[in-house]
Amino acid sequence: MKLAWAVPLMLLGAMPAAAQSDPDRKVDPTFLHRFVPDVAVKTVPISSASAKYRPLFGEGDDNSQILRGVTRFGQLSVDAGGRSSKVSYAREEHMLVILSGSGTVSYGGKDYPVKANDFMYLPPTVEFGLNGGKEPVTAILMGFAIPEGMKLTVPDTLKLDNIDNVPLVTVGSHPVSTLYRLLMGDTTSTRDRLSTGHVMISLFVMEFQPGGTNFPHHHETQEEIYILLDGTGEMVAGSGMNGIEGKYPAKPGDAYFYRANATVGFYNDATPGKKPARILAVRSNLPPRK
């Protein structure tokens, strides 16, 4: 007996090979990975002759089309005595975390001294820039688009604190092998050091004990970025469909962008006596679809 659907089925089976030959068709990634030293310096509005910007995700990066609310995430380095260009954005909020060195942040026409481990909120409409002091200063700059119609809250002065001032705590159902410094949350937050974000809902540092993990998980309506500051281990990114995470060896300078629903997590190296690994992380709400 000849099956009437046999020929169409064979033709249907041949279609994927033809589709794969399309040079303009690329796989839509679940996550993006960058290693800071490998990222080339690009010229963006905050750049200057003495301020270099390495775009990890968003502005300046050629492959960040999957980002929805994140506008930029990168490393900004300013020479000793140098100054970045000043920028302002009508409907974008920014966070700046000082990784090393010291200098000042220009904010609304006034300069504020900053040093390593300082973190701050830079609201929409306010002009800002980063300046080197007697030594160079390096920071992570991150920005998020604020949807039209969302009410803006703009502090009169720079909201700034230092990571070392924020206590280590446990969070929710995460295991005690990972402790959190809750740096910044949204304007309604009662748990974070600063409650200032609109689209950004959580800026935090995780410290993993040897062999520690935050248990791989996902967020249905948020984008998230991890950057490993200290230590080594395995970054979890994607997979999970069969109960097995996708694991990637990680070292300081590895950064991952996770789109909504992507599996995210980290396993610290279990070597006895190893120092805690540290990850700077930020999570933000997806903007509403147009």
Side-chain angles (χ1 to χ4, degrees):
M1 177 179 177
K2 186 176 180 180
L3 299 178
W5 42 262
V7 172
L9 186 62
M10 287 189 293
L11 292 175
L12 200 61
M15 289 177 65
Q20 289 173 5
S21 66
D22 184 352
D24 297 324
R25 180 67 178 175
K26 296 182 179 179
V27 174
D28 189 17
T30 303
F31 64 91
L32 299 173
H33 167 249
R34 305 285 183 264
F35 180 54
V36 175
D38 290 345
V39 177
V41 170
K42 295 288 184 69
T43 299
V44 297
I46 202 168
S47 303
S48 72
S50 56
K52 305 298 188 293
Y53 183 75
R54 296 181 186 272
L56 302 179
F57 309 112
E59 180 185 57
D61 177 47
D62 296 331
N63 190 32
S64 288
Q65 69 277 3
I66 70 170
L67 278 63
R68 288 180 55 192
V70 179
T71 55
R72 62 188 54 77
F73 185 99
Q75 178 183 278
L76 178 62
S77 300
V78 185
D79 297 339
R83 303 179 75 88
S84 78
S85 296
K86 294 180 180 179
V87 294
S88 65
Y89 299 88
R91 297 205 66 85
E92 289 185 31
E93 61 182 356
H94 289 78
M95 292 83 222
L96 195 66
V97 179
I98 308 298
L99 299 180
S100 64
S102 61
T104 61
V105 165
S106 298
Y107 178 90
K110 182 179 178 180
D111 285 351
Y112 293 80
V114 293
K115 60 184 183 301
N117 286 341
D118 280 349
F119 62 95
M120 64 215 73
Y121 177 74
L122 305 167
T125 73
V126 176
E127 187 179 65
F128 67 89
L130 180 63
N131 315 307
K134 294 182 180 180
E135 57 183 339
V137 60
T138 299
I140 294 294
L141 176 67
M142 54 196 85
F144 306 87
I146 299 177
E148 293 292 335
M150 180 178 283
K151 184 179 179 181
L152 301 180
T153 301
V154 180
D156 294 330
T157 58
L158 179 65
K159 297 297 183 182
L160 175 149
D161 213 312
N162 190 275
I163 293 173
D164 296 336
N165 295 334
V166 182
L168 287 165
V169 297
T170 57
V171 170
S173 60
H174 294 295
V176 295
S177 62
T178 302
L179 298 177
Y180 294 73
R181 297 186 193 270
L182 302 174
L183 310 182
M184 197 181 305
D186 64 20
T187 55
T188 65
S189 173
T190 58
R191 70 174 192 173
D192 298 274
R193 193 72 171 188
L194 300 179
S195 302
T196 51
H198 294 76
V199 173
M200 188 287 306
I201 60 172
S202 189
L203 175 68
F204 54 101
V205 171
M206 293 179 284
E207 294 194 7
F208 299 81
Q209 295 303 313
T213 180
N214 59 343
F215 283 155
H217 56 282
H218 70 279
H219 300 281
E220 294 183 3
T221 59
Q222 287 108 35
E223 297 175 310
E224 192 159 18
I225 298 174
Y226 281 8
I227 182 168
L228 185 58
L229 302 178
D230 301 298
T232 57
E234 291 182 308
M235 197 73 75
V236 174
S239 193
M241 180 177 173
N242 57 357
I244 301 174
E245 319 97 320
K247 296 180 181 178
Y248 301 88
K251 56 187 178 299
D254 276 324
Y256 282 76
F257 167 83
Y258 300 92
R259 66 189 305 174
N261 266 324
T263 302
V264 51
F266 181 77
Y267 290 97
N268 192 15
D269 186 339
T271 303
K274 183 181 183 293
K275 292 183 178 180
R278 292 195 311 137
I279 287 179
L280 175 67
V282 64
R283 195 164 69 248
S284 56
N285 280 328
L286 292 176
R289 288 193 178 275
K290 296 182 180 179

